[in-house]
Amino acid sequence: MTALLEVEDLRVAYGKIEAVKGISFSVEAGQVVALIGTNGAGKTTTLRTLSGLIKPTSGKITFDGQSLSSIPAHKVVSLGLAHSPEGRHIFPRLSIEENLQLGAFLRKDKDGIEQDIQKAYDLFPILGERRKQAAGTLSGGEQQMLAMGRALMSRPKLLMLDEPSMGLSPIMMQKIMETIATLKSEGMTILLIEQNAQAALSLADYGYVLEVGTMKLSGTGRDLLVNDDVRKTYLGEE
Ligand SMILES: Nc1ncnc2c1ncn2[C@@H]1O[C@H](COP(=O)(O)OP(=O)(O)OP(=O)(O)O)[C@@H](O)[C@H]1O
Ligand SMILES: [Mg+2]
C-alpha cells in the first residue's frame, strides 16, 4: 500500500539559504504524524511547500497518487490537502461564520457546507456561540480553533496543522489536542507540526524529528517519547 502523502528528498531554499536539505517522510491514511523540531528547523517551510506556496529546489511530493510538483496552491486544496497555518491567518474583520464559509470556497454543495459549519460548531462550541462576531475579537486559542475549523471546511483528505498549540494556555492546548484526537478517531489523517513534543508525540502514530533542515530521527510516537535525544532536546530532561 502506498502512503497518502509521500515526500522524497525534498529540498527548499530561500535564495542561497537552504532551509530544507533533502528530507523524506510519509503519512499513511488515517494516521496522525508529528513533525517536531526546534525554531528554524524547517517545519513551516516544509508545510508551505506541500501546500504549493513555495516551490522546492528538488525532490518529489506525491499526494493521493498524484505528483504535487508545480501544482499551484489553490489546486492543492482541491486535491484534498488543507493547511491551518502558523499564526492562524484568519480574516479579522469577517465574522466567524464568514471565515468558515471561506474555507469552503471551492465547494458548491450548500447543504454540505451548512452541515460542516454545524460540525465545526459541535467541535468548538464557542465558535457557534460567537458566530456573528468579528474573528479578530476572538482570543488566541479561539482563533486557533477557527483556523482549524476553516481548514476542515474543504473536507480534506489530509489536514496539516502548523503549531496549533502556539501561545495557548495549558487548558486551551489540551482542548486543541483533544480535538485532534477526536478528528483522528473519525478517521482524519493529520500532519501535526509542534514544538511541544510531549503533546504531539503522545498523540501521534508516527513522528519525525527535524533539525536544521535534516531529518534526524523517526519512529513511532511512543518510541520517540522514550528516546534519550528527544528527551534531552525537546522534553528538557538531563
Ligand atoms: N521567507 C524567508 N526568507 C528567508 N529565510 C526564511 C524565510 N522563511 C524562513 N526562512 C528561514 O528558513 C529556516 C526555516 O524556517 P521555518 O520557518 O521553516 O522554521 P520552523 O521549523 O517552522 O521554525 P519555528 O518553530 O520557529 O516556526 C529558518 O532559518 C528561517 O530563518
Ligand atoms: Mg514554523
Side-chain angles (χ1 to χ4, degrees):
M1 196 188 87
T2 51
L4 179 61
L5 175 72
E6 193 92 52
V7 175
E8 288 169 71
D9 203 18
L10 184 71
R11 289 179 182 274
V12 190
Y14 298 102
K16 284 187 181 150
I17 300 166
E18 192 167 52
V20 173
K21 305 170 183 174
I23 64 168
S24 300
F25 66 97
S26 58
V27 180
E28 304 273 349
Q31 277 190 337
V32 173
V33 171
L35 185 57
I36 63 171
T38 49
N39 291 117
K43 305 181 299 295
T44 297
T45 302
T46 302
L47 278 208
R48 289 177 60 81
T49 307
L50 295 176
S51 283
L53 297 166
I54 310 177
K55 229 177 126 39
T57 330
S58 64
K60 223 167 112 184
I61 303 167
T62 313
F63 177 67
D64 205 15
Q66 200 172 338
S67 168
L68 285 196
S69 313
S70 66
I71 291 188
H74 66 279
K75 284 259 172 64
V76 171
V77 178
S78 71
L79 293 177
L81 212 154
H83 184 176
S84 176
E86 188 178 32
R88 305 170 193 118
H89 295 285
I90 51 131
F91 297 96
R93 290 177 192 214
L94 299 184
S95 71
I96 287 157
E97 191 135 315
E98 287 163 339
N99 268 273
L100 290 172
Q101 280 159 351
L102 279 175
F105 72 102
L106 288 169
R107 293 171 56 185
K108 305 235 165 0
D109 56 324
K110 271 206 165 140
D111 292 348
I113 292 171
E114 269 315 306
Q115 278 172 18
D116 285 355
I117 288 179
Q118 199 47 56
K119 234 180 125 191
Y121 294 156
D122 292 342
L123 212 51
F124 301 113
I126 189 79
L127 297 182
E129 289 166 28
R130 309 271 173 89
R131 63 185 77 189
K132 299 290 176 212
Q133 192 172 314
T137 61
L138 293 173
S139 77
E142 290 160 359
Q143 289 186 24
Q144 187 57 60
M145 294 173 189
L146 179 56
M148 263 171 86
R150 190 182 57 186
L152 285 167
M153 289 301 297
S154 63
R155 287 206 179 165
K157 293 180 188 138
L158 173 64
L159 176 64
M160 304 196 295
L161 303 172
D162 195 345
E163 299 211 38
S165 77
M166 187 165 54
L168 301 190
S169 70
I171 287 180
M172 274 289 196
M173 172 166 144
Q174 199 184 342
K175 165 85 188 133
I176 293 283
M177 289 298 158
E178 279 166 14
T179 306
I180 295 172
T182 304
L183 292 171
K184 174 181 157 64
S185 72
E186 291 171 358
M188 179 62 71
T189 310
I190 298 169
L191 178 57
L192 172 63
I193 290 208
E194 264 295 338
Q195 284 200 46
N196 187 322
Q198 177 78 47
L201 293 175
S202 305
L203 201 79
D205 298 293
Y206 206 79
Y208 293 88
V209 180
L210 195 58
E211 254 176 57
V212 277
T214 56
M215 212 56 105
K216 271 282 176 288
L217 278 172
S218 66
T220 63
R222 200 171 305 189
D223 285 348
L224 290 178
L225 268 180
V226 298
N227 178 284
D228 282 344
D229 288 338
V230 172
R231 298 193 76 82
K232 270 191 208 134
T233 312
Y234 297 95
L235 306 176
E237 293 182 6
E238 287 306 312

